[in-house]
Amino acid sequence: MEHHGNDRQPTPQWPLRLVFWELTARCNLHCRHCRAEAGPDASPDELATGEIISAARSIRDFADPIVVLTGGEPLVRSDFFEIAEACRGTFSRVALATNGTLIDDTMAQRIVNAGIARTSISLDGATAETHDAFRGQTGSFTAALTGFEALKQAGMSMQVNVTVTKHNVHELERLLTLAMEKGAEAFHVFMLVPVGCGAEIADDQRLSPQETERALTWLFEKSVELGQHLQIKATCAPQYFRIMQTESARRGVTVAKPRHGMAAVTRGCLAGSAVCFISRTGDVQPCGYLPLQVGNVRRQPLQTIWQTSPTFADLRNPDKLTGKCGACQYRKLCAGCRARAYATTGDHLAEEPDCPHQP
């Protein structure tokens, strides 16, 4: 836990835009890449319903971020709808990240009625064979699509999330087609961050920097082609912003970049500068993939943590970056993935290991 000095001044120039709130680590699946190392049992010190609602109201005193309720699998909490409705009464936009396998028509309608603005469901393969192997449960692909379709029919704005490794990179085109066929509004591609269970994925299953570059260039091409029909976004891939800039200039094309809302595209790594993560026990981190605890909402309001954390201050200063990220002309636009740097070196300000660009 870091010290928050009294001499640090608030930083209103860094508005909090997005909070990922891990309600639980419990989950009915066994995904190979899980950040939360989820399992069947609840943590004994998970935040209680009242603690979550109280912390949410204190956040609203200084910010109105998009709040993403996540896990584990958040729907396994018996008080999920009480939490969701309280958050919707507090914040302008609340989203849900789920594996989709627990959602039938009745559950879908309850999610819509709770005021959730968007639901993301992860599809890690375009076929049952690929997805189920990655998710650790036979039938999870079919169940996820059933949940997706139930939510879509109930009127939910839907997003497909894809975590890319060598097991499914060859299916990206088919996954994009599937997302469009199912009526998704957004398609978000996540580049694997080796934390939690993801750290156990063999190196030979992770994309190389060159393969990552090719996948992100493909994603840019699709955003140019399909951007009027689908919100396409790279996540945990800040180098995508370099690719967007250089490829736009090379091709003489303009890609719309929404600055606000669910489709916001601003700059690369936002950990600690526009985004933070609250764990199931109340610990605050720059993002869910960067396990640096900078405070706990049980002991401090998030406003205090957000405005006075030395770690957050460092992450907001691109001149603190080292290695090739520190020397890169795109460091203010990109900043490199701070979580991958930390996972690889133990230093969250070190260079991004999955970027092939040489400054």
Side-chain angles (χ1 to χ4, degrees), residues 112-160:
V112 170
N113 292 345
I116 299 295
R118 174 173 287 176
T119 298
S120 64
I121 288 181
S122 296
L123 295 177
D124 292 317
T127 64
E129 180 181 11
T130 306
H131 176 91
D132 290 359
F134 204 59
R135 289 269 153 181
Q137 183 167 307
T138 301
S140 60
F141 180 72
T142 299
L145 289 179
T146 299
F148 188 105
E149 290 169 359
L151 284 162
K152 187 67 182 175
Q153 288 299 313
M156 178 61 65
S157 171
M158 296 301 300
Q159 174 177 313
V160 169

Side-chain angles (χ1 to χ4, degrees), residues 13-153:
Q13 70 269 34
W14 299 102
L16 177 60
R17 284 184 24 221
L18 186 60
V19 174
F20 291 92
W21 204 321
E22 178 194 63
L23 299 184
T24 183
R26 282 176 286 166
C27 189
N28 57 317
L29 300 183
H30 308 282
C31 305
R32 293 182 59 201
H33 63 300
C34 182
R35 166 201 53 74
E37 298 186 273
D41 301 319
S43 300
D45 53 351
E46 282 184 357
L47 293 174
T49 314
E51 290 180 300
I52 293 171
I53 294 171
S54 177
R57 289 172 178 162
S58 74
I59 294 170
R60 190 63 181 87
D61 288 341
F62 85 103
D64 186 19
I66 297 171
V67 173
V68 181
L69 303 177
T70 183
E73 172 49 59
L75 293 175
V76 303
R77 278 191 71 135
S78 61
D79 58 354
F80 171 79
F81 288 102
E82 183 178 357
I83 292 168
E85 288 165 7
C87 285
R88 181 59 188 91
T90 303
F91 303 104
S92 297
R93 289 159 296 182
V94 179
L96 168 65
T98 173
N99 61 43
T101 62
L102 303 178
I103 300 173
D104 57 15
D105 290 343
T106 300
M107 177 72 82
Q109 194 60 58
R110 290 189 71 190
I111 293 169
V112 170
N113 292 345
I116 299 295
R118 174 173 287 176
T119 298
S120 64
I121 288 181
S122 296
L123 295 177
D124 292 317
T127 64
E129 180 181 11
T130 306
H131 176 91
D132 290 359
F134 204 59
R135 289 269 153 181
Q137 183 167 307
T138 301
S140 60
F141 180 72
T142 299
L145 289 179
T146 299
F148 188 105
E149 290 169 359
L151 284 162
K152 187 67 182 175
Q153 288 299 313

